[in-house]
Amino acid sequence: MSKKEIPVMNVGISLIILMIMSICLAAFSVLSLENAMADDSLSQKTADHTTAYYKAVNQVQKQLKDTDRKLEEIWAQTGTKEGRNRQKEYETRVKTVFCKAGVSEENREITWFLTQKVSSRQTLTVRLSLENPETGRFYRILSWQLKPDGVWQADRSLNVYREKEGGGQ
C-alpha cells in the first residue's frame, strides 16, 4: 500500500491564520482592558466631584438656615415700628449684619452672596435678594452657580500646528 501525503501548504496556511487570530484577540483584549481602566478612572473622578459638590450644597444650606434665623431675629427686633419705618429699619439692620457678605443695592434691591468652596478650582456661589418679610419670605435666591476660580487657559504644551517662518503660507 502506498501512503498518502498531507500537503504542507494546507497545514501552514491554517497555522498562520490561527496565529494572526490569536494576535488580534490579544490586541483587542489589551485595548478593552485599557478602555475599562479609563472608564473606571473617569467614573471615580465624577463620583469625587459629585460628592464634593453636594458637600458644598449642604454647607450652603446651613448658611441659608443661619441667614433665615438672623433675618427672623432682625425682623422681630424691628417689631415695635409700623409700615415703611419698620421696613426701612429692617433693611438698615440687614445691611449692617450682612456687610461682610458684600451687601449691595442694585435697582433699589438689596443683594448679597453666599459662597462655598467645592474644590481647589471651583466655588459654589448663591446670590440672594432681600424680600419684605410681610410677604412670608425673608429672601429670594437669584442665582445658584458653580463658578471656576480663575481664568481658563488652553494647554499649549503640544506643538500640533506650527506656522511657517516669515508668516507666509
Side-chain angles (χ1 to χ4, degrees):
M1 282 208 160
S2 67
K3 289 185 175 180
K4 288 188 176 181
E5 291 186 26
I6 300 174
V8 178
M9 189 67 166
N10 290 343
V11 174
I13 288 178
S14 62
L15 183 62
I16 290 173
I17 290 173
L18 183 65
M19 289 174 52
I20 290 174
M21 287 177 56
S22 298
I23 291 171
C24 288
L25 285 174
F28 286 136
S29 65
V30 168
L31 290 173
S32 294
L33 179 65
E34 185 67 30
N35 193 18
M37 289 172 48
D39 284 349
D40 181 54
S41 174
L42 179 62
S43 297
Q44 188 61 45
K45 286 179 184 178
T46 302
D48 292 345
H49 180 267
T50 303
T51 302
Y53 174 77
Y54 282 110
K55 282 182 182 178
V57 167
N58 288 339
Q59 292 300 318
V60 167
Q61 292 290 349
K62 288 178 184 176
Q63 291 178 22
L64 288 172
K65 181 181 175 185
D66 291 342
T67 301
D68 267 337
R69 185 184 45 77
K70 287 177 188 175
L71 291 174
E72 189 174 4
E73 287 174 5
I74 293 169
W75 183 248
Q77 291 170 358
T78 59
T80 57
K81 307 235 179 192
E82 291 184 13
R84 283 186 59 78
N85 289 339
R86 183 177 187 191
Q87 182 65 26
K88 203 121 174 106
E89 184 179 337
Y90 173 69
E91 290 175 2
T92 304
R93 287 186 182 192
V94 167
K95 288 178 192 176
T96 57
V97 169
F98 290 101
C99 65
K100 292 179 183 175
V103 174
S104 65
E105 282 192 60
E106 299 171 6
N107 302 328
R108 301 182 54 92
E109 187 176 57
I110 299 171
T111 61
W112 69 98
F113 291 93
L114 300 176
T115 59
Q116 183 64 40
K117 279 291 231 192
V118 174
S119 66
S120 61
R121 297 179 295 168
Q122 290 182 323
T123 302
L124 180 60
T125 304
V126 179
R127 184 171 172 234
L128 304 172
S129 170
L130 188 65
E131 291 283 313
N132 186 348
E134 292 173 348
T135 63
R137 296 184 345 185
F138 290 108
Y139 60 85
R140 180 172 33 116
I141 296 176
L142 298 175
S143 66
W144 186 286
Q145 294 179 324
L146 190 61
K147 294 184 175 182
D149 294 341
V151 178
W152 181 82
Q153 293 182 358
D155 180 12
R156 304 207 182 267
S157 60
L158 296 174
N159 281 333
V160 176
Y161 175 75
R162 297 179 192 188
E163 291 186 35
K164 292 184 178 180
E165 296 291 324
Q169 291 187 21

